[in-house]
Amino acid sequence: MKHFINTEDMTRADLDELLALSEKVAANPEKYAEALKGKVVATIFFEPSTRTRLSFESAILRTGAGLISTENANESSSAGKKSETIEDTVRMLSGYADAIVMRHPANDSATKAVSVSTVPILNGGSGSFAHPTQSLLDAFTIKRARGSLDNVKIAFCGDLKLGRTANSLIKLLSKYDGTQVWALSTPGMELTPDVVDFMKKAKIPYTVCKSFEDIPQNVDAIYQTRFQKERVTDGMVVQDSSLVITPKVMQRFSAVTLVMHPLPRVDEICTTFDSDPRAIYFEQAHNGVPTRMAVLLKLLGGDK
Ligand code: NCD
């Protein structure tokens, strides 16, 4: 594995190795405190980010690597000033850093970066296309809770069209046996045909739901998502979502059905649900640190 670009191209062996390393890192973070000493990692974000950027930066510092960072690359880098291409930005950064973490609104941004980079590219989110480290931390969260990633029953909810987290996680779970997917989307925000096609080819049973009542009571996880208003383009009709997770909605689900969310939450999970033991979203966000440490260690050879 040279880069970390999307979950579709990974193998089950790659994923198992990264998840096992994430567990080791979580159990004994001090052991890795100097693993990447002398390396420099660049983070360059062309879209807003709190969790992905800060957990990556925490992961970089916790492995002993140095960090160079631009938080609002659209304004603070030459890409914003002079419309520098992704390729030129990455060519240049390849000479400054030993790995590049990049988030960009274009679906093909990570692929473009890989085409010219001489150092590992870690995709921190590319348009609505992929968010592989989010999926890794999601998988880590599910695996920790239920022990295995085989036979996962998962319901995705909300904006499944413009978001990148649901399709990335579906592609990751396709590497495991027996995955089943339910989708309860905001009207007009259904999973895109290419993702539905992907599930068909991967033989993942997929059920479209109209309400929370259509989701089986014993699903392992309900993966709620935020409406991606920043990606709405002219002419797109969007309706308000009434798909809010509340303590009442969750009454019918099993005691072990996890409620996940990549965050940030707007109002699609009621804060009164936060104290329920099934509300795992903040723990899920915290899992971003060991999993991103594992990816950095793997790509930069600090896992030995
Ligand atoms: C997600 C993203 O950026 O795709 N956030 C994150 O990385 N934790 C989801 C979102 O912004 O809604």
Side-chain angles (χ1 to χ4, degrees):
M1 205 172 50
K2 273 172 68 185
H3 304 279
F4 200 77
I5 295 307
N6 65 48
T7 46
E8 193 173 343
D9 296 342
M10 282 176 213
T11 63
R12 179 174 176 146
D14 288 337
L15 290 163
D16 283 345
E17 193 185 338
L18 283 170
L19 291 166
L21 182 56
S22 304
E23 272 303 346
K24 280 195 205 162
V25 169
N28 195 359
E30 303 77 33
K31 186 174 158 205
Y32 300 91
E34 301 210 331
L36 297 181
K37 200 167 170 205
K39 304 279 188 193
V40 173
V41 181
T43 60
I44 179 157
F45 278 63
F46 293 88
E47 271 187 350
S49 172
T50 308
R51 275 147 292 272
T52 304
R53 187 172 66 86
L54 293 182
S55 66
F56 250 122
E57 295 187 354
S58 175
I60 292 163
L61 298 172
R62 285 173 197 272
T63 52
L67 168 69
I68 53 174
S69 170
T70 164
E71 152 190 17
N72 192 348
N74 271 328
E75 282 153 29
S76 60
S77 76
S78 296
K81 273 192 293 193
K82 308 182 201 98
S83 303
E84 186 174 43
T85 62
I86 292 171
E87 286 90 339
D88 280 1
T89 304
V90 168
R91 268 189 197 105
M92 183 217 40
L93 278 179
S94 296
Y96 299 164
D98 300 294
I100 300 167
V101 181
M102 187 174 89
R103 169 174 283 193
H104 195 284
N107 284 3
D108 61 357
S109 52
T111 323
K112 281 184 174 166
V114 165
S115 74
V116 295
S117 185
T118 55
V119 299
I121 299 290
L122 294 86
N123 183 6
S126 48
S128 52
F129 175 63
H131 196 354
T133 58
Q134 178 69 43
S135 308
L136 188 70
L137 76 87
D138 294 340
F140 182 79
T141 305
I142 298 171
K143 187 162 187 222
R144 275 198 148 180
R146 69 188 287 283
S148 155
L149 288 174
D150 287 319
N151 306 311
V152 170
K153 293 195 189 111
I154 185 163
F156 291 94
C157 191
D159 176 358
L160 307 181
K161 176 179 179 172
L162 301 175
R164 51 195 165 203
T165 52
N167 69 49
S168 269
L169 183 54
I170 288 171
K171 287 171 183 164
L172 184 154
L173 289 172
S174 75
K175 310 293 172 186
Y176 292 86
D177 298 331
T179 302
Q180 292 181 63
V181 169
W182 286 262
L184 172 58
S185 41
T186 311
M189 295 288 124
E190 288 81 16
L191 283 169
T192 53
D194 58 307
V195 182
V196 175
D197 243 31
F198 175 89
M199 287 191 282
K200 220 176 261 167
K201 287 198 184 107
K203 300 199 167 30
I204 295 178
Y206 161 60
T207 310
V208 176
C209 305
K210 293 239 172 317
S211 74
F212 284 108
E213 275 73 44
D214 293 343
I215 302 173
Q217 293 175 295
N218 65 345
V219 284
D220 295 295
I222 298 178
Y223 195 104
Q224 177 67 300
T225 61
R226 169 184 74 89
F227 174 49
Q228 307 285 303
K229 61 178 186 308
E230 67 276 29
R231 288 199 201 107
V232 171
T233 47
D234 286 352
M236 201 182 264
V237 181
V238 287
Q239 292 179 31
D240 269 356
S241 178
S242 55
L243 305 173
V244 179
I245 290 184
T246 60
K248 187 157 177 274
V249 162
M250 288 306 296
Q251 266 170 14
R252 65 181 296 276
F253 290 100
S254 103
V256 292
T257 297
L258 303 173
V259 174
M260 301 178 71
H261 193 308
L263 303 178
R265 148 177 72 184
V266 184
D267 49 16
E268 59 281 340
I269 300 178
C270 188
T271 53
T272 54
F273 184 69
D274 291 355
S275 54
D276 190 292
R278 296 170 295 179
I280 199 144
Y281 26 93
F282 292 113
E283 189 178 322
Q284 181 188 350
H286 291 159
N287 288 340
V289 176
T291 48
R292 289 179 169 121
M293 281 174 78
V295 177
L296 287 161
L297 291 164
K298 179 79 195 139
L299 291 179
L300 289 172
D303 56 330
K304 303 293 166 331

